[in-house]
Amino acid sequence: MTHLAIFASGTGSNARKIIEHFKNSPDVRVALVVSNKKDAGVLDIARAHDIPTQVLARKMFYETEDLLGILKQHDIGFIVLAGFLWLIPSYLVQSFDKKMVNIHPALLPKYGGKGMFGRHVHEAVKANGETETGITIHYVNEHYDEGDIVFQARCPVRPEDTPEDIARKVQQLEHQHFPLVVEHLVRAS
Ligand code: GRF
C-alpha cells in the first residue's frame, strides 16, 4: 500500500478528485493532507473523507525538518502538490526525489515561475494571444515549476475566450488527467 500526501493551499478541487479517485483503491491511499493555510478549503475536504490533516507554519517548514518526521509517521511514500504555493525546501526535494509531483495550469516552460499562479497565468496566456494552453505535471525540484516534465495535455484558446474561459478549460483538463497520471507514477515509482 502506498500512502500519498497531498499539499494544497487553496480550495482543493484537484485534491478532491485525487481523494475520490483513490477512495476504493487496494494499493494507494491518500493518508495526509497538508496545507500552509489553516482555513484552506482543502482541509474541509480532507476532514469530510476522514483523512488526517497537517497545517504548516512557515518557520517549521523552512527552518526545521520536522515535517519529515510527520510524513514518516503517516508512512508517506509519494507527495502530490495540488495548488501548493510555497517553494519546496531542499531537504524535502531530496527525500522525495522522483516521488513528488506538481501540477501547473499552463504548458511549461511557458508561463511558469514565481508569481505565475491562478488567474495570472491565464491572463498572460490571453494577453500574448496564445492559440493553445494546457496543463503540465512535473517532478519537483528546488525551483518553481522547473522539475522534469512527465505529462502535458493541451486545449485550444479561441480569440473570444476570456481568462475565466481559459481557466475553466484548463481546470477540466486537470481534473480529467491528474488522478490518472498520479496513479501511473505511483505504480511506477
Ligand atoms: C490548479 O490550477 C493547479 O494547476 C495549480 O493550482 C490550482 C489548484 O486548484 N497548481 P484547486 O485548489 O485544486 O482547485
Side-chain angles (χ1 to χ4, degrees):
M1 174 71 82
T2 303
H3 285 185
L4 294 187
I6 300 177
F7 286 32
S9 306
T11 54
S13 73
N14 281 281
R16 183 196 295 278
K17 291 286 172 193
I18 292 167
I19 289 167
E20 287 169 356
H21 181 79
F22 289 113
K23 200 140 186 81
N24 298 312
S25 167
D27 53 358
V28 182
R29 179 194 300 163
V30 180
L32 184 67
V33 169
V34 176
S35 184
N36 57 310
K37 288 198 182 152
K38 65 178 183 339
D39 54 357
V42 70
L43 294 174
D44 296 327
I45 296 171
R47 288 184 203 111
H49 287 85
D50 291 323
I51 297 169
T53 59
Q54 175 69 43
V55 176
L56 289 177
R58 181 175 279 275
K59 209 173 155 72
M60 180 258 230
F61 191 53
Y62 288 111
E63 294 178 24
T64 76
E65 298 188 5
D66 293 355
L67 183 59
L68 290 182
I70 295 168
L71 296 172
K72 201 163 182 178
Q73 272 169 25
H74 292 274
D75 196 21
I76 300 302
F78 201 95
I79 297 176
V80 177
L81 308 184
F84 186 69
L85 295 179
W86 284 359
L87 190 64
I88 302 299
S90 60
Y91 71 83
L92 198 53
V93 171
Q94 280 161 24
S95 300
F96 285 85
D97 183 33
K98 295 283 187 282
K99 290 177 190 301
M100 176 163 36
V101 285
N102 179 47
I103 188 161
H104 187 77
L107 295 171
L108 290 175
K110 283 175 151 185
Y111 306 108
K114 196 167 165 52
M116 269 295 163
F117 60 90
R119 64 184 172 80
H120 303 294
V121 176
H122 309 305
E123 280 166 3
V125 165
K126 168 84 186 163
N128 285 343
E130 297 284 357
T131 56
E132 66 169 12
T133 186
I135 62 169
T136 303
I137 298 168
H138 64 92
Y139 287 121
V140 175
N141 67 14
E142 282 97 342
H143 307 280
Y144 279 115
D145 304 323
E146 280 186 18
D148 291 349
I149 291 173
V150 287
F151 178 86
Q152 292 188 307
R154 291 158 198 277
C155 59
V157 177
R158 311 256 177 244
E160 65 274 20
D161 282 346
T162 64
E164 291 73 29
D165 295 327
I166 300 170
R168 253 191 307 277
K169 290 187 204 180
V170 168
Q171 190 185 52
Q172 220 170 12
L173 284 182
E174 292 185 332
H175 292 175
Q176 183 187 348
H177 294 288
F178 202 18
L180 290 167
V181 173
V182 168
E183 180 170 12
H184 174 78
L185 293 174
V186 168
R187 294 243 158 86
S189 75

